[in-house]
Amino acid sequence: MSASAIYYIDSPLGKLLARFENELLEKLEFSETLGKNTSSVPVYVSIIEKQVKSYFEGKIQDFNIPYNLKGTNFQKTVWNKLLEIPYGKTISYGKLAALLGNPRKIRAVANAIGKNPLPIIIPCHRVVGKNGELTGYLGGLRRKKQLLELEGFKQLQLF
C-alpha cells in the first residue's frame, strides 16, 4: 500500500505544492492557493525545504533529493536531458531536440517539458526560444525570468 502526502514549501517566488508517494517527491509545482501544512513536516520534506531555500540563496546549483518520475519513456528522456543543462546556461528547444536525436521533434520536446513534474529541480526554465526569447513556463514567464536571473542569466548563454 502506498502512502501519498501533500505539503507546501515556501519560496521567494511563491508557494510550492509538493506531492510525495512513499516519501519520494513526485510533483513540485507553483501553487496559487495559500495552502498551509496542517501537521508537522516529516524529515523528507524538511530536506527538500532546505535545498529549495539554499537554491534561492545561491548556495547550491543542483538538487540532491529522492524523487520518482512518472511519465512516458520519451518524457523521461527529455527530463533527464534537462538535468544536463548547466546552471546559468540556456538551450533552445531546437538544440535540445537535436541533442535528443531528432531536430524535427521540437513540439514533442516542448510538450514533454510542459509536463515536467519537478520544475526548478529539473530545470526546464533553462530552455528558451531559438533567439533566446523566454517562452512558456509552468510557473509563468515572470518566474522563469526570475529563476534565470537568480542563476546569473543576463543574455543568451547557450549550452
Side-chain angles (χ1 to χ4, degrees):
M1 176 177 262
S2 64
S4 61
I6 292 177
Y7 292 93
Y8 293 91
I9 296 172
D10 291 320
S11 88
L13 303 183
K15 289 259 188 217
L16 294 165
L17 181 143
R19 188 176 73 220
F20 297 85
E21 190 74 32
N22 295 324
E23 300 184 11
L24 295 175
L25 184 64
E26 287 194 341
K27 192 162 201 69
L28 184 70
E29 62 188 1
F30 289 102
S31 174
E32 300 308 321
T33 50
L34 300 175
K36 291 177 82 174
N37 296 325
T38 56
S39 60
S40 62
V41 176
V43 172
Y44 61 91
V45 177
S46 297
I47 291 168
I48 293 168
E49 282 180 319
K50 183 178 180 184
Q51 288 191 36
V52 166
K53 182 178 182 206
S54 294
Y55 170 79
F56 280 105
E57 290 173 348
K59 295 177 181 174
I60 66 168
Q61 297 182 355
D62 299 299
F63 292 86
N64 181 20
I65 56 168
Y67 58 80
N68 180 31
L69 291 177
K70 289 187 176 179
T72 67
N73 287 337
F74 179 74
Q75 289 170 334
K76 290 177 187 178
T77 299
V78 172
W79 300 335
N80 284 317
K81 188 58 84 175
L82 293 175
L83 291 169
E84 296 176 17
I85 305 169
Y87 182 91
K89 303 285 184 188
T90 57
I91 190 170
S92 69
Y93 290 93
K95 172 115 187 238
L96 185 59
L99 287 175
L100 290 164
N102 191 337
R104 294 183 185 180
K105 286 197 167 190
I106 295 172
R107 283 187 195 252
V109 167
N111 286 335
I113 290 170
K115 292 182 173 39
N116 175 7
L118 302 174
I120 300 175
I121 293 169
I122 297 176
C124 55
H125 60 275
R126 296 178 189 156
V127 183
V128 296
K130 66 181 173 182
N131 296 319
E133 70 272 9
L134 297 185
T135 59
Y137 183 65
L138 294 166
L141 290 181
R142 176 185 59 84
R143 287 184 178 124
K144 181 173 187 164
K145 183 175 188 276
Q146 290 172 310
L147 289 167
L148 289 170
E149 288 171 349
L150 170 76
E151 296 183 4
F153 179 85
K154 293 177 181 42
Q155 59 188 15
L156 186 62
Q157 303 169 22
L158 290 177
F159 150 67

